[in-house]
Amino acid sequence: MTSWPATKRHGSLHAQRGLRRVCAVGLFVAAILAPPSHAGAEELDRVLAIDVSPSVDAGEFKLQMAGYAAAFRDRDMLRAVNSIGDAGIAVSVVLWGGPRDHVTAIDWTIVRDRASALRFSGMLERVPRSLSTTSTAIGDAITYAIS
């Protein structure tokens, strides 16, 4: 039986760019398909729930955050935001780990144009890994995110 290595190395720059593109496309698809959850005037509302449980090491956390930040700078994402109109999208960032281990890292922020998308990207780059948890409880994170 083969097990996953305890220490994972992050691949080439090409692989990291691919991950960033996947994050951008995934964020766009989620924004278009999912129903809004936050009551406001914006067109779409999304919570980015970031896993900081023990299954995510420091390097993977940095990679996640870099991918999300790059997604908000991606030309396809910017084009999608511009196509929505003046109302824009509301985005919040929640870090989650074990039961009752969650924190809102970035409160609701309206992204409606290139400038606001770039500001939000910068905010994502500065989010610290502020939770120390010993377990994983995605159900609690989802409940927190939708409340």
Side-chain angles (χ1 to χ4, degrees):
M1 180 173 175
T2 310
S3 64
W4 190 259
T7 303
K8 295 171 261 182
R9 298 285 178 225
H10 301 292
S12 68
L13 182 59
H14 177 72
Q16 290 178 10
R17 285 183 183 149
L19 178 62
R20 288 181 182 141
R21 179 64 97 187
V22 168
C23 286
V25 171
L27 184 61
F28 172 73
V29 170
I32 296 303
L33 298 179
S37 60
H38 174 262
E42 61 284 335
E43 190 69 25
L44 297 167
D45 308 323
R46 296 296 161 254
V47 174
L48 303 179
I50 312 293
D51 183 358
V52 295
S53 69
S55 63
V56 176
D57 66 29
E60 291 166 328
F61 175 76
K62 282 180 67 173
L63 188 59
Q64 283 185 102
M65 299 312 294
Y68 280 117
F72 279 88
R73 292 187 306 268
D74 183 81
R75 71 172 181 257
D76 293 332
M77 177 66 175
L78 295 171
R79 204 177 351 243
V81 168
N82 285 331
S83 74
I84 291 171
D86 291 337
I89 61 174
V91 187
S92 175
V93 175
V94 171
L95 303 181
W96 65 273
R100 294 170 300 283
D101 290 336
H102 40 261
V103 63
T104 300
I106 301 175
D107 207 356
W108 290 106
T109 303
I110 305 298
V111 176
R112 65 174 45 96
D113 55 22
R114 184 177 195 283
S116 57
L118 295 177
R119 271 193 306 278
F120 190 74
S121 175
M123 293 166 68
L124 283 163
E125 290 175 329
R126 293 185 299 276
V127 170
R129 186 175 186 157
S130 57
L131 288 177
S132 178
T133 183
T134 58
S135 62
T136 304
I138 192 168
D140 283 3
I142 293 169
T143 300
Y144 178 78
I146 63 173
S147 61

